[in-house]
Amino acid sequence: VELSFVRWLRDRAVPHRQVPLGIGDDAALLAVSPGHELVVTTDMVMDGVDFRLTEVSPRLVGRKSLAVNLSDIAAMGARSIASFVSVSLPRSGGEQLARELYEGIFELAAEFNTSIAGGDTNSWDGPLVINITAVGEAPIGRAWRRAGARPGDQILVTGDFGGSILGKHLSFSPRLSAAAWLAEYATVHAAMDVSDGLSLDLSRLIDKSGCGAEIDLARVPISGAAVELGRSSGEQAIEHALSDGEDFELVLAVPPMEAQRLLSAQPLDVPLTCIGQFVKDAGLWAIGSDGRREPLSPRGYEHRLE
Amino acid sequence: VELSFVRWLRDRAVPHRQVPLGIGDDAALLAVSPGHELVVTTDMVMDGVDFRLTEVSPRLVGRKSLAVNLSDIAAMGARSIASFVSVSLPRSGGEQLARELYEGIFELAAEFNTSIAGGDTNSWDGPLVINITAVGEAPIGRAWRRAGARPGDQILVTGDFGGSILGKHLSFSPRLSAAAWLAEYATVHAAMDVSDGLSLDLSRLIDKSGCGAEIDLARVPISGAAVELGRSSGEQAIEHALSDGEDFELVLAVPPMEAQRLLSAQPLDVPLTCIGQFVKDAGLWAIGSDGRREPLSPRGYEHRLE
């Protein structure tokens, strides 16, 4: 990268007590708290696939590319430390684009106390590609996995679902502070974040946990956007809530007594709702308004290789 | 990603004692050794810029995309733990391409004991893009930085230089075992790996260290490939050695007595050569065959944003 741009980057990188060495060497150094293990996730997004620069400002694209990674860190019940940003910029206007992207990235990074500690900036004749790797930490053996939900555990979710495409997919807040509170004060048996659709992601969680899940459809928090989208799509709002994805809310498996306590205390900066329970019978089940249980087909965004 | 491909990946990922949780959750978990800090580097490569799939096998492209990151880990005097691989695959033939890429990645990963612990696999209408983030560890405060070279320190290098384009840029071995030996048994004040050109990278190291460097041109180990390339390019082999780049050898600042000891013992799996010394006078200097010192212009590959 041009030296002036690296300098610009380095000047914007906020000092962080866990980053003794950031941008500008062969690698960055991160300090891990004693008794903690590392939590690492990475995500690549491309213009024309995950967003369109013709429709979205670079600042929001940068913001989202970091936010999806921080959402994964939250889904592990971890605390973020540092993020690493690689970009391939289209040759024409690349530096201006990079500055705008990074404005969005730095803004969110400051909000969630993650240091931009390194990366790789390139230009080429192709469309914009961004890869971010986020690094966090959790007390050893305490990170939340997808495996671990037990029959009887309640299914708790943060926030509401559906219609993210109308705006939330760009403006959502990764649930890091909710996760930090829960990791410290609550018992969580399993967790994940909803990126591909509530029902599809929940089906992945139960696959890993070796149990089933019953969703009480009437209790699923449906977003205003899902209702709005339902009006034009002809699908029911609940369908949008179950399958749209990009909600970036947490799904948690919590033992019943604990769930009761959390639901009445509502200790988070986002509403916590019980939408059903984990059960012995494998598979996903829906409880309808008549109280009857029927199999529910997981729906959402399936990534495919061709 | 298609589930079958994720399964294929997971089956190939070798268990690693420092990776309690690898591919298949929201994030990976890495165990850091007590008293160590994290070393993190990331690098993005694109078809048509860093390689051409029309000319190079995907296996070698995969190998190289990991090798450049491990070279950075070596340049910090660190030990590798895990790597994270994101790819954007061209839609047509993407899965086959991915399998070949990963064969090269897994092969090198096994050789250097780095676990492929996560990643993100996408397909799109653009050319192949690969981003790898490598994570390693070093005893706290002991990682080698570019800053730290002192006047009087000898400039030691591993291997030889120039003409990498004739083959070494694809087949090189990251100097992890040499770095591990030196980190344990020697005193190294500063280090980096040579990716953009010996003279250019050395000029970056002295910038960070706040000193100068004198290169004794007669002592620079010139590769056979640099000689061969010189025959056709009309440039002298030493010019290729100083500026070609992609040598992925280590440049080390080592105090004089220690340098003497290392040069006579030659304890590494690669030859160690002294090519000059760090000096008080800022800038890069060349000592010619007549023993006279002249300013040397750093040359190499400059990354530019347009």
Side-chain angles (χ1 to χ4, degrees):
Chain A
V1 205
E2 219 165 355
L3 222 59
S4 69
F5 184 72
V6 172
R7 264 191 224 109
W8 180 85
L9 270 184
R10 204 165 28 204
D11 290 349
R12 258 155 203 77
V14 181
H16 190 290
R17 65 173 183 84
Q18 288 185 266
V19 185
L21 183 66
I23 295 169
D25 214 299
D26 290 299
L29 297 177
L30 307 186
V32 186
S33 305
H36 283 62
E37 58 193 351
L38 257 269
V39 180
V40 186
T41 184
T42 192
D43 201 64
M44 184 176 271
V45 292
M46 302 93 77
D47 188 11
V49 178
D50 302 281
F51 58 86
R52 282 173 212 285
L53 277 179
T54 50
E55 296 165 9
V56 187
S57 79
R59 206 178 59 76
L60 282 176
V61 168
R63 184 192 190 281
K64 180 175 178 178
S65 62
L66 177 57
V68 297
N69 281 288
L70 297 185
S71 182
D72 279 324
I73 296 290
M76 303 296 286
R79 216 160 51 75
S80 69
I81 300 174
S83 297
F84 297 81
V85 181
S86 299
V87 291
S88 288
L89 302 158
R91 250 179 244 290
S92 146
E95 182 159 353
Q96 182 52 33
L97 173 59
R99 284 176 197 252
E100 289 176 48
L101 282 172
Y102 273 102
E103 291 295 354
I105 290 171
F106 280 123
E107 220 171 270
L108 195 77
E111 194 179 336
F112 290 99
N113 196 32
T114 190
S115 168
I116 304 303
D120 186 22
T121 308
N122 308 278
S123 62
W124 73 328
D125 295 320
L128 175 66
V129 179
I130 309 172
N131 190 88
I132 295 188
T133 303
V135 179
E137 64 179 12
I140 293 173
R142 299 282 302 278
W144 305 333
R145 305 177 178 211
R146 293 183 182 180
R150 305 172 200 172
D153 283 350
Q154 304 294 291
I155 309 172
L156 302 194
V157 296
T158 60
D160 53 28
F161 292 83
S164 177
I165 191 70
L166 296 185
K168 184 183 181 184
H169 75 115
L170 292 171
S171 63
F172 71 95
S173 282
R175 296 303 180 197
L176 279 166
S177 65
W181 194 95
L182 291 167
E184 178 115 23
Y185 302 112
T187 302
V188 173
H189 286 163
M192 71 185 293
D193 69 326
V194 176
S195 51
D196 294 337
L198 177 56
S199 61
L200 180 58
D201 285 330
L202 191 53
S203 78
R204 290 168 178 161
L205 190 148
I206 58 181
D207 268 3
K208 290 273 184 183
S209 291
C211 65
E214 278 176 8
I215 302 182
D216 188 345
L217 296 183
R219 294 159 83 187
V220 173
I222 296 173
S223 70
V227 174
E228 193 182 330
L229 207 56
R231 275 195 212 107
S232 54
S233 73
E235 269 195 306
Q236 290 196 302
I238 180 71
E239 283 303 318
H240 285 288
L242 290 174
S243 66
D244 282 355
E246 300 231 304
D247 304 294
F248 300 105
E249 298 292 350
L250 300 176
V251 183
L252 306 150
V254 176
M257 297 283 287
E258 177 80 339
Q260 211 43 61
R261 186 175 73 94
L262 292 171
L263 290 166
S264 55
Q266 290 292 337
L268 309 181
D269 58 353
V270 54
L272 200 54
T273 310
C274 177
I275 63 164
Q277 59 179 339
F278 293 96
V279 295
K280 254 186 168 158
D281 312 342
L284 205 57
W285 308 88
I287 314 257
S289 51
D290 53 2
R292 286 233 300 261
R293 184 172 108 160
E294 292 190 346
L296 178 68
S297 297
R299 282 182 52 203
Y301 179 71
E302 302 254 20
H303 307 253
R304 319 214 116 261
L305 293 181
E306 281 142 69
Chain B
V1 206
E2 219 166 352
L3 223 58
S4 70
F5 184 73
V6 173
R7 263 189 225 111
W8 179 85
L9 270 185
R10 202 164 32 204
D11 290 349
R12 257 153 202 78
V14 181
H16 189 290
R17 66 175 182 85
Q18 288 185 269
V19 185
L21 183 66
I23 296 168
D25 213 299
D26 290 300
L29 297 177
L30 308 186
V32 186
S33 305
H36 284 62
E37 59 193 350
L38 257 269
V39 180
V40 186
T41 185
T42 192
D43 201 65
M44 183 176 273
V45 292
M46 302 93 78
D47 188 11
V49 178
D50 301 281
F51 58 86
R52 282 173 212 284
L53 276 180
T54 49
E55 297 165 8
V56 187
S57 79
R59 206 179 58 78
L60 283 176
V61 168
R63 183 191 190 281
K64 179 174 179 178
S65 63
L66 177 57
V68 297
N69 282 287
L70 297 185
S71 182
D72 280 325
I73 296 291
M76 303 295 288
R79 217 159 50 73
S80 69
I81 301 174
S83 297
F84 297 81
V85 180
S86 298
V87 290
S88 288
L89 302 158
R91 249 178 245 291
S92 148
E95 182 160 352
Q96 182 54 32
L97 173 59
R99 285 177 197 251
E100 289 176 46
L101 283 172
Y102 273 102
E103 292 295 355
I105 290 171
F106 280 122
E107 221 171 86
L108 196 76
E111 194 179 335
F112 290 99
N113 196 31
T114 190
S115 167
I116 304 303
D120 186 20
T121 308
N122 308 279
S123 61
W124 73 329
D125 294 320
L128 175 65
V129 179
I130 310 173
N131 191 88
I132 295 189
T133 303
V135 179
E137 65 179 11
I140 292 173
R142 298 282 304 279
W144 304 334
R145 305 178 180 210
R146 295 183 182 180
R150 304 173 201 171
D153 284 349
Q154 303 294 292
I155 309 173
L156 302 193
V157 296
T158 60
D160 52 28
F161 293 82
S164 176
I165 190 73
L166 296 185
K168 184 182 181 184
H169 74 115
L170 293 170
S171 62
F172 73 93
S173 281
R175 298 301 180 197
L176 280 167
S177 64
W181 194 94
L182 291 167
E184 179 115 22
Y185 301 110
T187 302
V188 173
H189 286 162
M192 71 184 293
D193 69 326
V194 175
S195 51
D196 294 338
L198 177 56
S199 60
L200 181 58
D201 285 331
L202 191 53
S203 78
R204 289 168 178 160
L205 190 148
I206 58 180
D207 267 4
K208 290 275 186 181
S209 290
C211 64
E214 278 176 7
I215 302 183
D216 188 343
L217 295 183
R219 294 160 82 186
V220 173
I222 296 173
S223 71
V227 174
E228 192 181 331
L229 208 55
R231 276 194 212 109
S232 54
S233 73
E235 269 195 306
Q236 291 196 299
I238 181 72
E239 282 304 317
H240 285 288
L242 290 173
S243 66
D244 281 355
E246 299 231 303
D247 305 294
F248 301 106
E249 298 293 350
L250 299 177
V251 182
L252 306 150
V254 175
M257 297 284 287
E258 177 80 340
Q260 211 43 61
R261 185 175 74 92
L262 292 171
L263 290 166
S264 54
Q266 290 291 338
L268 309 181
D269 59 352
V270 55
L272 201 54
T273 310
C274 177
I275 63 165
Q277 58 179 342
F278 293 96
V279 294
K280 252 185 168 161
D281 311 343
L284 205 56
W285 308 89
I287 314 259
S289 50
D290 54 2
R292 287 232 301 262
R293 184 173 107 161
E294 293 188 347
L296 178 68
S297 296
R299 282 182 52 203
Y301 179 73
E302 302 253 21
H303 306 253
R304 322 212 114 263
L305 293 180
E306 282 142 69

